[in-house]
Amino acid sequence: MGVCVYLATVHESTARELNQVKSHQKVLLEQNHNLTNLKNKLSSDYQNLTVQFNNLTAISTALKNKTTTLTAENHNLTSLNEGLRKERENLTELIKNMEKTWNELNVSRSQWSIDAYCPKKAGVRNCTSCQKGWSHQSPSCYAYNNPASSNQRNWESAREDCRTKNSDLTVVPDQTEKDYVKKISPTTEGIQGYWIGLRAVEGRWKWIDGSDLTNQ
């Protein structure tokens, strides 16, 4: 009788322990399942973070390159701006000098005109229609330039020489002026003629005022 009670007690204890083990095993399986899910989630998060990190790294590299490019462009623009500033200063100085020279030339030209047309004798100026050495024939003033052979010029240079004297080669529109020009242009040995304001333009003779030659 005592032995049977003992055996029953042992059997009940073993079943209880088995249930506890199964219950514990179930808990462990759930924990393992949860840990597995957590592991998978962490792995997925890690992959996402890795991708984001790589993207951020690429963006950071691109921004560094852009910063380097912008820095270089800014340096170039700064250098260009400095060059433009210096060029503006040079142009301003050049304009200032040109204005000064122009004013001096105007004063000099005005003084030349006064001295040429109103020469001073014994402290008194006497003005004439033409500058000294020129002949008056209404409505113009004439001069015959007869340089030495070494200083004789072609047509273009002769005209430029006239312009330096505030004049130009003569235009001869009629017989009266033609006779006068011939009169003040004496024949000199070795010289076959003289320059006047007439030239051939595209196969036609024209005066320097643009008119055609009509009086041969």
Side-chain angles (χ1 to χ4, degrees):
M1 183 70 175
V3 174
C4 290
V5 173
Y6 173 77
L7 289 174
T9 303
V10 171
H11 182 266
E12 290 176 358
S13 176
T14 302
R16 188 182 303 111
E17 291 177 356
L18 180 59
N19 289 333
Q20 290 178 351
V21 169
K22 287 181 178 180
S23 177
H24 184 63
Q25 183 182 21
K26 183 179 180 180
V27 172
L28 291 177
L29 288 174
E30 289 179 356
Q31 291 179 349
N32 181 67
H33 178 73
N34 293 335
L35 289 173
T36 300
N37 290 338
L38 180 60
K39 176 186 175 184
N40 292 335
K41 184 177 183 305
L42 290 174
S43 177
S44 177
D45 290 345
Y46 175 77
Q47 291 178 356
N48 292 333
L49 289 173
T50 301
V51 172
Q52 292 178 9
F53 175 77
N54 291 335
N55 291 338
L56 289 174
T57 301
I59 293 173
S60 176
T61 301
L63 287 175
K64 287 181 180 179
N65 293 336
K66 187 67 175 178
T67 300
T68 301
T69 302
L70 290 175
T71 300
E73 290 179 353
N74 181 66
H75 177 72
N76 292 336
L77 288 174
T78 300
S79 299
L80 178 61
N81 183 64
E82 180 65 18
L84 291 174
R85 185 187 64 79
K86 291 182 179 179
E87 185 175 349
R88 183 180 65 182
E89 290 180 354
N90 293 336
L91 287 174
T92 301
E93 185 66 21
L94 179 61
I95 292 173
K96 182 178 178 181
N97 292 336
M98 290 178 66
E99 289 177 344
K100 180 180 178 181
T101 301
W102 179 255
N103 291 333
E104 291 175 350
L105 285 174
N106 283 338
V107 172
S108 177
R109 188 166 184 158
S110 298
Q111 186 61 47
W112 175 86
S113 297
I114 293 173
D115 292 339
Y117 290 91
C118 301
K120 184 182 291 185
K121 292 183 179 179
V124 179
R125 289 190 181 278
N126 294 313
C127 296
T128 60
S129 300
C130 302
Q131 56 186 297
K132 184 178 180 180
W134 291 59
S135 302
H136 180 257
Q137 174 69 14
S138 181
S140 303
C141 298
Y142 296 83
Y144 175 75
N145 184 31
N146 184 22
S149 298
S150 59
N151 199 34
Q152 290 178 359
R153 304 164 183 254
N154 58 22
W155 188 91
E156 289 80 8
S157 296
R159 188 182 187 190
E160 184 61 29
D161 181 63
C162 284
R163 287 177 169 177
T164 62
K165 298 177 175 66
N166 196 29
S167 61
D168 209 337
L169 293 173
T170 186
V171 175
V172 185
D174 53 44
Q175 187 64 40
T176 300
E177 189 161 5
K178 182 178 181 181
D179 292 341
Y180 181 75
V181 170
K182 185 177 181 180
K183 175 183 175 182
I184 65 172
S185 305
T187 301
T188 304
E189 184 179 354
I191 296 178
Q192 302 299 320
Y194 41 85
W195 295 124
I196 58 176
L198 184 68
R199 61 179 173 177
V201 179
E202 297 180 352
R204 298 181 63 181
W205 287 101
K206 283 184 173 293
W207 295 104
I208 56 177
D209 63 1
S211 61
D212 293 326
L213 174 65
T214 57
N215 185 351
Q216 298 297 321

